[in-house]
Amino acid sequence: MADIIQLLPDNIANQIAAGEVIQRPASAVKELLENAADAGATEIRLFVTDAGKALIQVIDNGRGMSETDARMAFERHATSKIRNIEDLFRIKTMGFRGEALASVAAVAQVELKTRRAEDELGTYLEIENSKVVKQEPCACAAGTSISMKNLFFNVPARRNFLKSNAAEMRHIVDEFTRVAMAFPGIFFSLTSNGQEVFHLEAGNLKQRIVQILGSSYNAKLVSVNEETDYMNIYGFVGKPETARKTRGDQYFFVNNRFIKSAYLNHAVNSAFEEMIAKDSFPSYVLYIDLDPSQVDINVHPTKQEIKFEDEKIIYAFVQAAVKHALAQFSIAPSLDFTLNPEIQGLDAVSKPFTTDKKDAASSSNLFKTFTQKNQAHFIERNDQREKSELKHWKEFYNPADTESTTQQTERALPQQLQTSGPKPQTGLRVLPDTPLLQLHNTYIIASTNSGFLLVHQQLAHERILYERYGLAAHGQQMATQQSLFPVTLEVAGSDAALLTDLLPDLLAIGYQVEPFGNNSFVIQGIPADVLPGNEKHAIELLIEQFKHFSSDIKFSKREKLVRCMARQQAIKAGQALTQKEMLVLVEELFTCNSPNVTPTGSPTYLEFKEDYLDRMFGR
């Protein structure tokens, strides 16, 4: 009987190794960028086409390689960084396994141009399926340019498992961001399909963070810097108001290597305890420097998960350093009035202070008491106060063209509750000419033929909007009102890739958003039934909620977007409604296909029947 165990051919062994290291285009981007940083480059440029599926090219001005080194770099387990077993535990550089380039060459068509500064000619290599197709001298700039084309061209099954271009591009941006964060002293650029997405000039750490996360972080960062004999920790944490519902802007680096560690995340979260909401996550970019012998980076193929020799000490140091930074800068949650549309909509803010009003105000005794000298002690006697205009001080706040409370409330509410809705289709009917009652500005009590309904206004409105936006997202596009003054929105790189992916779906539900270059977008129009003035915050919140939903794979992208919109635009608990608005809300609820539950399964109303009420009173 013949022997059945055989050695695998090199190209198949390389493809199996590539399965560990190169899982998607972003994996190759990470390896190539780290190699460029290790080569001592001061400028690194990344070019991708079709989200890396067609081309990934990294050009650096580093040391370059000799002809022999260029050829050897693509052999398995070839490395310049390890000579003996002890070196494995003293690694301070990025790539080290000696499998990255061999893995890349096994699953893509690779072209390499490299030259050392002291050499007159460089080396050109062409490799396909782990075989060198061409090797010749060439004229090129000092440094290295490596291109990998048609990723997984020889492993079609792997290629079929790649996601959409937008999804793969998000992963590439994530990997690019992590390497760029680790080396703020190096110039980085990212060009996608001929358009420059990132242009990061070399600078200090804070400049790099602001370049990547956006200028809004400039005044919202708190410096962390603690040095001990065991380890150093430095970087920045965001002030409590930068906390998000998702783990977006959280970066940990150990010896300049990006890592994922739920343990250290917990250390930072505990430092923010009672300063942010329990379901929120703080923003931070933190660097830990310690002796490489105290950390094992060989526990994971991508080296993003590591083990510390003494995790408890690291945890305590991180927690103490962040707490100390927050205490030192006297950080406390602050109110940002610019983001609150209700305050922006007040008469005192939105209406001009006319000359007539100014004259009336300045001639009053109340104004004089505060502005004239030696008046601080002046208090009118009771008999004077009867004749004084101070008796009517409340009128000072009433607008000249007085409106009823009802009219003001109707103006502040979403327009969809100001028009009478279609007649109910379900068996439930609200008794005509019977007033509705609002309880705690949250619940609506409506009388029916057989008892009464207790409707939760926010959950009911969420169901109405969910069905309305659902129709719009699947064909019946919503009307868009054009903005008279379009608003510019700037987001972080990964959010920009996500928002670009969502633009067609946003247009279907009424948001006309257009790219404006360099992670900026212009909001040209909003849904016709949404009040203007809060577009920027609405889109930012939409992105945040969408990422919060993104872990739930059972929903399509459009379904997640519809749910986010319904939740965001629904009138909130605690908002006073007029009789007309309550009636429209209840009537529209019962025209829905599933009026009794929200999209997440919570009840929108409870029905109390007359016989049940009788039983409660023993009748």
Side-chain angles (χ1 to χ4, degrees), residues 180 183-187 200-209 211:
F183 299 98
I186 299 177
F187 165 87
L200 308 177
E201 294 291 349
N204 61 34
L205 179 55
K206 186 171 184 180
Q207 288 168 334
R208 180 55 52 90
I209 292 171
Q211 283 173 334

Side-chain angles (χ1 to χ4, degrees), residues 58-76:
V58 174
I59 301 174
D60 69 65
N61 64 349
R63 285 188 291 273
M65 290 181 279
S66 67
E67 184 181 358
T68 309
D69 284 348
R71 179 69 187 78
M72 282 291 291
F74 290 94
E75 295 296 331
R76 281 193 79 193

Side-chain angles (χ1 to χ4, degrees), residues 185-426:
I186 299 177
F187 165 87
F188 282 90
S189 73
L190 166 57
T191 303
S192 173
N193 295 336
Q195 183 176 359
E196 191 171 57
V197 181
F198 283 98
H199 184 94
L200 308 177
E201 294 291 349
N204 61 34
L205 179 55
K206 186 171 184 180
Q207 288 168 334
R208 180 55 52 90
I209 292 171
V210 171
Q211 283 173 334
I212 291 175
L213 300 186
S215 54
S216 61
Y217 272 87
N218 200 20
K220 297 180 179 177
L221 295 175
V222 177
S223 175
V224 177
N225 196 353
E226 299 287 343
E227 295 186 4
T228 69
D229 294 338
Y230 185 77
M231 60 173 277
N232 298 334
I233 177 167
Y234 59 94
F236 293 89
V237 292
K239 293 181 181 178
E241 61 259 36
T242 64
R244 303 276 187 92
K245 295 291 183 187
T246 52
R247 294 184 183 274
D249 303 329
Q250 296 188 331
Y251 299 88
F252 252 118
F253 298 86
V254 173
N255 294 343
N256 268 26
R257 187 189 299 278
F258 173 80
I259 65 153
K260 294 177 180 175
S261 171
Y263 191 64
L264 294 186
N265 277 341
H266 190 274
V268 178
N269 285 352
S270 62
F272 274 87
E273 207 166 13
E274 297 181 0
M275 299 181 75
I276 60 174
K278 287 194 180 299
D279 60 345
S280 296
F281 301 96
S283 304
Y284 57 80
V285 182
L286 293 173
Y287 298 75
I288 294 173
D289 285 347
L290 77 166
D291 186 338
S293 63
Q294 300 292 323
V295 57
D296 183 2
I297 56 177
N298 298 304
V299 296
H300 194 271
T302 64
K303 306 181 289 291
Q304 286 187 1
E305 294 174 19
I306 64 175
K307 279 189 175 177
F308 296 101
E309 189 169 300
D310 195 333
E311 285 189 323
K312 290 182 180 177
I313 289 181
I314 306 290
Y315 183 100
F317 272 133
V318 169
Q319 184 186 33
V322 175
K323 271 192 173 179
H324 183 232
L326 293 172
Q328 191 176 355
F329 287 87
S330 304
I331 297 301
S334 60
L335 294 172
D336 187 353
F337 291 104
T338 59
L339 295 181
N340 194 326
E342 294 171 9
I343 290 173
Q344 296 299 320
L346 291 175
D347 285 331
V349 177
S350 61
K351 290 189 176 179
F353 194 38
T354 61
T355 309
D356 293 343
K357 288 182 181 178
K358 190 173 182 180
D359 292 341
S362 57
S363 63
S364 69
N365 284 343
L366 180 63
F367 181 84
K368 290 173 185 173
T369 305
F370 279 96
T371 55
Q372 291 182 1
K373 288 184 179 180
N374 306 319
Q375 293 291 309
H377 63 282
F378 178 73
I379 300 174
E380 290 180 340
R381 296 196 310 272
N382 283 340
D383 56 337
Q384 289 178 318
R385 210 173 295 152
E386 286 299 316
K387 302 171 188 173
S388 167
E389 62 211 1
L390 293 184
K391 182 176 68 173
H392 308 291
W393 64 271
K394 288 183 181 177
E395 294 171 11
F396 183 77
Y397 295 96
N398 289 342
D401 51 337
T402 54
E403 297 175 298
S404 69
T405 309
T406 302
Q407 289 171 319
Q408 290 181 30
T409 307
E410 285 186 12
R411 188 182 63 247
L413 279 168
Q415 294 172 14
Q416 61 260 42
L417 291 188
Q418 296 175 28
T419 56
S420 60
K423 297 303 173 197
Q425 296 174 345
T426 64

Side-chain angles (χ1 to χ4, degrees), residues 395-585:
E395 294 171 11
F396 183 77
Y397 295 96
N398 289 342
D401 51 337
T402 54
E403 297 175 298
S404 69
T405 309
T406 302
Q407 289 171 319
Q408 290 181 30
T409 307
E410 285 186 12
R411 188 182 63 247
L413 279 168
Q415 294 172 14
Q416 61 260 42
L417 291 188
Q418 296 175 28
T419 56
S420 60
K423 297 303 173 197
Q425 296 174 345
T426 64
L428 285 167
R429 291 280 192 281
V430 177
L431 289 179
D433 303 321
T434 306
L436 292 96
L437 176 66
Q438 190 180 25
L439 192 63
H440 300 308
N441 285 352
T442 299
Y443 303 98
I444 298 169
I445 298 177
S447 299
T448 64
N449 290 322
S450 58
F452 72 89
L453 301 176
L454 186 64
V455 181
H456 193 292
Q457 65 188 41
Q458 181 174 343
L459 300 180
H461 198 205
E462 201 173 311
R463 163 50 67 179
I464 295 166
L465 292 180
Y466 172 74
E467 296 204 0
R468 185 174 300 171
Y469 289 131
L471 282 174
H474 294 92
Q476 301 179 17
Q477 184 166 331
M478 290 188 75
T480 299
Q481 56 177 330
Q482 295 295 314
S483 302
L484 191 59
F485 301 103
V487 178
T488 303
L489 172 69
E490 186 180 331
V491 296
S494 55
D495 288 350
L498 172 61
L499 187 53
T500 303
D501 192 24
L502 292 176
L503 292 184
D505 301 304
L506 282 170
L507 184 61
I509 58 176
Y511 277 104
Q512 185 181 346
V513 184
E514 296 174 358
F516 198 52
N518 198 22
N519 299 337
S520 294
F521 296 82
V522 177
I523 304 170
Q524 299 282 12
I526 60 173
D529 58 0
V530 172
L531 288 174
N534 198 27
E535 303 90 333
K536 186 175 176 182
H537 185 52
I539 296 290
E540 287 173 343
L541 194 60
L542 204 62
I543 295 171
E544 219 27 58
Q545 287 182 328
F546 189 89
K547 288 193 290 188
H548 196 52
F549 271 139
S550 62
S551 58
D552 210 332
I553 58 172
K554 67 175 180 280
F555 296 131
S556 68
K557 180 176 64 178
R558 193 160 283 195
E559 172 72 7
K560 290 174 192 169
L561 194 62
V562 167
R563 288 181 178 231
C564 289
M565 276 294 293
R567 180 178 296 181
Q568 184 191 111
Q569 296 297 333
I571 54 171
K572 301 298 181 276
Q575 189 165 347
L577 302 179
T578 63
Q579 280 290 318
K580 183 180 178 184
E581 289 159 352
M582 286 190 282
L583 184 61
V584 171
L585 180 67

